[in-house]
Amino acid sequence: MRISILVLLAVVGATPGLAQTPIVDESEPNDNVRTADSVALGDQARGVVNPAGDVDTWFVDLPAGQFLSVDVDAAQVGSPLDATLELIAPDGTTSLAFNDDFDGFDSRISYRVPQSGRYYVAIRAFGATGGPGLTYVINFDKVTCPVVGTEQEPNDTPGTAAPVAIGDSGSGEICPHDDNPAGDVDYWAITARAGTTIELDVDAAALGLFVDPVIALYASDGTTQLAFNDDEDGADSRLQYSIVTTGTYYATVADAAGSGNPFPYTLHVRSITPGPGDPITVRAQGLGRPWGLAVGNTGDLFVSDLTGNRVVRVSGQGVVTTFATGIPTPQGLAFDAFGNLLVASTDGAVYRVTPQGQVTRFITAGIPLWIAVAPDGRIWLTDLSDRSLRRYSSTGQFEARFDAISVGGSGPGPLAIAPSGEPHFSQGTEIWKLANGELRRVLRGAFIIWAFAFDVAGNIYAPAPAAGRIQLFDATGAIVADTFAIGPDAPQAVAFGRDATGATVARLFATDPRVGRVFEVNPAGVAHPGQPVGYVAPRFPLDVAAASLLGGGGLSAADLQYLDALGNHNGRYDVGDLQAYLRTVGGLPGARSNR
């Protein structure tokens, strides 16, 4: 917070010949709006929060549209007071704004009043403390927007953006304007060549202010958002993006909190080395909040969309169609052993969607978050209600529960099956696996890890939404590429693609819910095909399948369960199940199951 020389002179004693800031001392009692002390714009209120629990109240008469600044100086001038401020509407009860600790322990409120009237300001000590030494001054004035640093106001649109070159820094101040009541947005114009990966890094909280800046990058049209970040560096923000087309791009800096309090900042624009997964290619957009991701056996992408409580299908040509609706808060997706899509929903169920898009409630659980199907057809589920990992048969019968509270963090969360067949899940910044009935930590990352995927070599592709990147770990949990891809905005779930035969290929897709799109990383950076996901249907010799009807061996319990699920679901393997299996492998084309 900057204190003008006139304010300091008013506190320590005026100098002849200089204009003085009018000072108004409090008069107790002034603990509520009925006994509030009066001030005017340009005045400085002075008082002490004493005894403990004391509240000092001031009122100021304002015209409609006035942009009021209420600025405390206490800690700045040596007082031990940790002040809080509250702005109260003319009705004397409605709280319009509150602030604690804007500039160190001092507080400030900037607020444009909607109508003419008498407004009240209450100052307290944090924690309801008090004492004779907790002195303060409050500066009542108009919010002004001075020219700060290298920005050139007005720069609130792409057409008025201030230029900044890659390798340079721009500085300015977020300060709301009369024509933008929602808050100031500063635009910066950046010229970048194709193949360049840029980093935008904003410093504001790093300057010692309790503020929360956000940063975004827009395409050359000035409206298409390419990337966004909030809180990458504490409260400050940073993002990276790989430029595909040479042109002018626009970076914006704004206030996430929307408090209206002006604050200075510095924007650094750098060129950095891209990851092997850059540049990314958008495959579908305008999806609302795409979350979970699964790939069908013909290569189509299936995406859970939180905005529409639906699942959408994205074709290889990028055509988006609605596949299923009416699934509340759809999360993780996986295909079961019979070609149905399973959808975990935090409303307490896993839903099953047939290839025709028919939705039925399949498994009832506490708060299902993520789901995966193992090569043996069993279904694995993470349940947030009791923080457990659960296993079900291929037909949805509960089999086992594994308590995961001990892993800590916020898990168990997103889930995937490794090449070993062992389920792995994230608990936030760590990935754990279930091996021989025991939970073991595989890796610890620097960022929150969401829905990851394995390739056939056991490498882990892990999206870090808050960091705006995808990381790559090897099978031992060692980092291979801290920045595998930095083009994404906030990658949420990743999955390997399939070709028309259903074979997993070396193409990696991901959802990006912040900007409502699905993208593909650079295929040249993907070294191995993806681990085959889900059930691998057995191919028994027909004589073994037939002999098992007569009590012969050769089929496991899981095989028999699979055959029964293909057929008549009566809990045993019989002739109807054999007929269904023959039909699936091309034998007895006229045979029909008893299902």
Side-chain angles (χ1 to χ4, degrees):
M1 184 172 301
R2 298 180 293 277
I3 307 173
S4 71
I5 188 170
L6 294 181
V7 172
L8 288 175
L9 290 173
V11 175
V12 301
T15 298
L18 292 178
Q20 298 183 28
T21 300
I23 297 176
V24 180
D25 289 309
E26 69 163 322
S27 58
E28 291 283 1
N30 62 348
D31 297 337
N32 54 62
V33 297
R34 293 185 299 276
T35 59
D37 291 316
S38 173
V39 290
L41 288 183
D43 288 350
Q44 185 180 82
R46 185 166 62 183
V48 57
V49 180
N50 183 44
D54 184 30
V55 180
D56 289 349
T57 311
W58 303 82
F59 74 81
V60 58
D61 293 323
L62 301 170
Q66 179 64 65
F67 205 166
L68 171 68
S69 172
V70 185
D71 186 357
V72 173
D73 288 331
Q76 281 278 336
V77 292
S79 171
L81 173 64
D82 179 2
T84 68
L85 272 182
E86 182 180 20
L87 178 65
I88 301 171
D91 63 10
T93 58
T94 302
S95 179
L96 298 176
F98 177 86
N99 184 256
D100 179 25
D101 299 347
F102 173 78
D103 185 13
F105 287 126
D106 288 338
S107 301
R108 182 166 74 180
I109 289 175
S110 300
Y111 191 87
R112 181 178 282 103
V113 300
Q115 60 189 31
S116 300
R118 177 163 293 178
Y119 292 81
Y120 302 90
V121 172
I123 182 171
R124 300 172 173 86
F126 180 79
T129 60
L134 302 188
T135 59
Y136 65 86
V137 294
I138 305 177
N139 304 290
F140 287 82
D141 214 330
K142 302 175 183 179
V143 174
T144 58
C145 298
V147 176
V148 175
T150 60
E151 73 165 314
Q152 302 166 8
E153 288 285 0
N155 63 343
D156 302 317
T157 66
T160 58
V164 59
I166 295 175
D168 289 344
S169 298
S171 58
E173 179 159 304
I174 294 299
C175 185
H177 292 269
D178 289 339
D179 59 354
N180 190 2
D184 187 18
V185 178
D186 287 349
Y187 278 77
W188 298 85
I190 303 165
T191 300
R193 296 183 61 83
T196 304
T197 299
I198 62 173
E199 178 179 76
L200 305 179
D201 183 5
V202 61
D203 289 333
L207 304 178
L209 302 175
F210 285 84
V211 294
D212 188 5
V214 297
I215 191 166
L217 179 68
Y218 291 85
S220 297
D221 60 9
T223 59
T224 302
Q225 188 180 95
L226 301 175
F228 175 91
N229 185 258
D230 182 20
D231 299 344
E232 166 65 11
D233 295 326
D236 284 336
S237 301
R238 185 176 73 233
L239 63 82
Q240 302 87 25
Y241 189 81
S242 296
I243 301 297
V244 177
T245 304
T246 298
T248 299
Y249 295 79
Y250 299 95
T252 62
V253 180
D255 179 13
S259 67
N261 276 332
F263 61 84
Y265 68 89
T266 300
L267 172 65
H268 307 283
V269 183
R270 309 181 181 102
S271 174
I272 61 175
T273 303
D278 293 305
I280 64 172
T281 302
V282 176
R283 295 303 181 193
Q285 54 191 345
L287 298 181
R289 291 185 66 198
W291 206 251
L293 178 63
V295 182
N297 60 10
T298 61
D300 286 352
L301 309 179
F302 292 79
V303 182
S304 58
D305 183 358
L306 293 178
T307 299
N309 289 328
R310 62 176 183 160
V311 175
V312 300
R313 183 204 301 260
V314 181
S315 73
Q317 293 72 41
V319 177
V320 178
T321 55
T322 297
F323 177 63
T325 59
I327 302 175
T329 59
Q331 303 284 319
L333 308 176
F335 281 93
D336 70 7
F338 316 108
N340 302 305
L341 182 65
L342 304 181
V343 185
S345 167
T346 53
D347 79 334
V350 173
Y351 291 86
R352 182 170 59 190
V353 187
T354 68
Q356 294 74 38
Q358 297 173 329
V359 180
T360 56
R361 195 178 181 97
F362 180 51
I363 295 173
T364 298
I367 306 178
L369 180 71
W370 224 254
I371 192 165
V373 174
D376 64 1
R378 286 188 167 92
I379 300 165
W380 291 86
L381 183 71
T382 51
D383 191 333
L384 293 182
S385 65
D386 60 359
R387 301 188 63 179
S388 66
L389 177 64
R390 295 169 176 260
R391 190 183 74 214
Y392 296 81
S393 72
S394 60
T395 53
Q397 282 76 44
F398 173 77
E399 292 185 345
R401 174 189 178 277
F402 303 89
D403 194 318
I405 295 177
S406 62
V407 305
S410 57
L415 174 70
I417 307 297
S420 63
E422 296 166 331
H424 287 57
F425 63 84
S426 167
Q427 54 79 276
T429 57
E430 299 174 353
I431 290 179
W432 288 66
K433 69 177 180 179
L434 180 69
N436 298 320
E438 296 182 357
L439 294 173
R440 301 175 185 174
R441 186 170 62 203
V442 176
L443 64 87
R444 176 182 292 153
F447 309 106
I448 292 177
I449 297 169
W450 202 244
F452 53 95
F454 289 92
D455 66 19
V456 293
N459 298 309
I460 302 172
Y461 292 79
R469 70 184 66 178
I470 297 175
Q471 297 180 287
L472 177 60
F473 300 86
D474 69 16
T476 69
I479 189 75
V480 176
D482 177 61
T483 304
F484 173 73
I486 58 176
D489 183 31
Q492 195 75 24
V494 297
F496 280 91
R498 297 176 186 267
D499 62 20
T501 70
T504 309
V505 295
R507 297 180 63 187
L508 188 69
F509 299 87
T511 59
D512 199 338
R514 189 181 294 279
V515 289
R517 65 185 181 182
V518 174
F519 65 87
E520 181 181 0
V521 305
N522 182 6
V526 183
H528 304 282
Q531 166 65 17
V533 176
Y535 181 65
V536 178
R539 291 281 177 167
F540 327 108
L542 294 181
D543 58 342
V544 173
S548 294
L549 285 176
L550 304 175
L555 295 182
S556 68
D559 294 336
L560 296 174
Q561 184 182 57
Y562 165 73
L563 290 168
D564 182 53
L566 277 182
N568 52 33
H569 294 266
N570 63 2
R572 64 181 185 275
Y573 175 47
D574 56 24
V575 173
D577 304 327
L578 176 61
Q579 289 177 328
Y581 176 66
L582 291 175
R583 189 178 70 246
T584 65
V585 298
L588 297 181
R592 302 181 59 87
S593 74
N594 296 328
R595 183 176 174 180

